[in-house]
Amino acid sequence: MSSTATATEHAASLKPEGPPPVAHPRKPALALPAGACDSHCHIYGPFDRFPLPVDRSFTPNEAPETALRRMHEAVGISRAVIVQSQGHGFDHRPLLDALASGQGRYRGVALVRPDTPPEEIARLAKAGICGSRFNFMAHLTGRLSPEAITAAIRLIRPHGWHTEIHVSGRQLVEEESFIRNIETPVVIDHMARLDIAEGPDGPVASALKRLLDTGRVWVKLSGPERLSKAGKPFSDVVPLASGLARHAPERVLWGSDWPHVNLHGPMPDDGDLVDFIGAIVPDEANRRLLLVDNPTRFFGFA
């Protein structure tokens, strides 16, 4: 194969799957409290320093920490939790670089396997990692069995990390008993990505509330753009998200999910996502719980 053909194939393999995030989000109408935290976001690249792995699940647009910071400054966010994505796989260098440059602004969530060396986990913990994410999603590689997840959790537990669970809809009901028995604090991503046609009291929402009632499980009120069938301002997601916020106001978190990879639909404006917070948590005191107090406690911000 010629070098020209190889270069062409390499360029094609880097074609992003989907549009980039909105470069200049509008200023939200909702003013966020000082210390507001984006509890779920990702970064990708810069690719000249941190190339994507060959065995990645998907190809994201370049979305480095500098672009994430610009978005946060535009909408009024001062802290964030950066979640390692299958886009970079188990190469944590971009995340570690962001944690170092953030100087306390960020915490991180890693990807861990049962064969991850304990000394590597200790190194990640020292850098500002505070949890590990495990996915049950069919479209993502790296899915572990419950037994393997349990073995990995044994490695992270001595460091006080939390366990982050990424499930889709009815998977939460299927895994409810397993999640209930995890021996670390647990957070469920994106309101379990349930089908909102089930309603705010459907089987998945009910399972979420039962897990919240254990006192050891939190939920991220993120991803309305993924759940909504009507589009912005995501009003059809409000009954679900506001119901969860009222049910356990001290165990809910909010995240932008920037830069919104693998999204099948229009790219959301992050200003709209911030204004969604006002629709689901209209009370100022409870918004402070959601955006400041809960993430400070859960992720261990100083």
Side-chain angles (χ1 to χ4, degrees):
M1 182 180 294
S2 69
S3 59
T4 301
T6 302
T8 301
E9 288 186 1
H10 178 68
S13 72
L14 291 178
K15 183 178 180 181
E17 299 169 30
V22 173
H24 303 288
R26 69 170 183 80
K27 182 178 177 60
L30 179 69
L32 300 183
C37 180
D38 179 350
S39 293
H40 194 104
C41 52
H42 309 282
I43 56 171
Y44 301 98
F47 294 152
D48 61 345
R49 295 176 59 204
F50 308 118
L52 295 171
V54 175
D55 60 349
R56 62 190 178 274
S57 299
F58 59 92
T59 301
N61 288 274
E62 187 172 71
E65 183 274 335
T66 51
L68 174 68
R69 188 183 292 248
R70 284 195 300 272
M71 184 277 285
H72 283 159
E73 290 174 348
V75 301
I77 291 168
S78 57
R79 299 186 298 181
V81 180
I82 303 173
V83 179
Q84 179 75 3
S85 165
Q86 291 291 342
H88 273 295
F90 291 89
D91 180 2
H92 290 94
R93 289 178 301 158
L95 174 55
L96 295 175
D97 184 71
L99 292 172
S101 66
Q103 299 181 323
R105 178 187 182 96
Y106 303 124
R107 301 303 304 272
V109 174
L111 298 181
V112 171
R113 296 175 289 202
D115 60 352
T116 301
E119 56 270 23
E120 172 66 5
I121 294 175
R123 183 178 78 94
L124 295 174
K126 186 176 181 180
I129 303 292
C130 61
S132 181
R133 190 189 203 198
F134 301 97
N135 89 80
F136 290 80
M137 307 295 291
H139 70 280
L140 296 176
T141 59
R143 177 174 176 176
L144 301 177
S145 68
E147 294 77 17
I149 292 175
T150 299
I153 289 172
R154 292 194 194 105
L155 296 173
I156 69 173
R157 187 181 180 192
H159 297 278
W161 287 13
H162 69 270
T163 298
E164 187 161 323
I165 299 293
H166 188 198
V167 294
S168 180
R170 295 297 178 99
Q171 287 179 327
L172 183 75
V173 178
E174 297 167 4
E175 303 296 341
E176 181 180 355
S177 178
F178 173 73
I179 294 170
R180 185 180 291 269
N181 289 306
I182 292 175
E183 295 182 347
T184 68
V186 175
V187 62
I188 307 295
D189 285 348
H190 310 324
M191 297 178 278
R193 296 184 67 155
L194 56 74
D195 182 350
I196 59 167
E198 295 183 356
D201 298 309
V204 180
S206 296
L208 264 176
K209 291 174 183 175
R210 287 193 298 269
L211 288 167
L212 288 170
D213 288 342
T214 67
R216 297 173 47 253
V217 177
W218 281 250
V219 64
K220 293 183 182 180
L221 306 182
S222 52
E225 72 280 12
R226 298 184 187 276
L227 275 59
S228 178
K229 300 180 186 299
K232 72 173 187 180
F234 320 116
S235 301
D236 53 342
V237 187
V238 169
L240 167 67
S242 61
L244 293 171
R246 289 192 303 270
H247 188 82
E250 73 286 0
R251 287 191 297 283
V252 290
L253 303 157
W254 175 84
S256 69
D257 198 27
W258 188 92
H260 317 293
V261 296
N262 294 320
L263 184 62
H264 304 291
M267 187 57 54
D269 186 305
D270 291 281
D272 293 332
L273 295 177
V274 167
D275 280 338
F276 178 75
I277 298 170
I280 62 175
V281 185
D283 177 74
E284 185 175 349
N286 282 335
R287 278 204 305 273
R288 180 173 178 83
L289 280 176
L290 175 72
L291 295 167
V292 182
D293 298 341
N294 292 351
T296 296
R297 178 165 59 99
F298 189 80
F299 299 111
F301 280 102

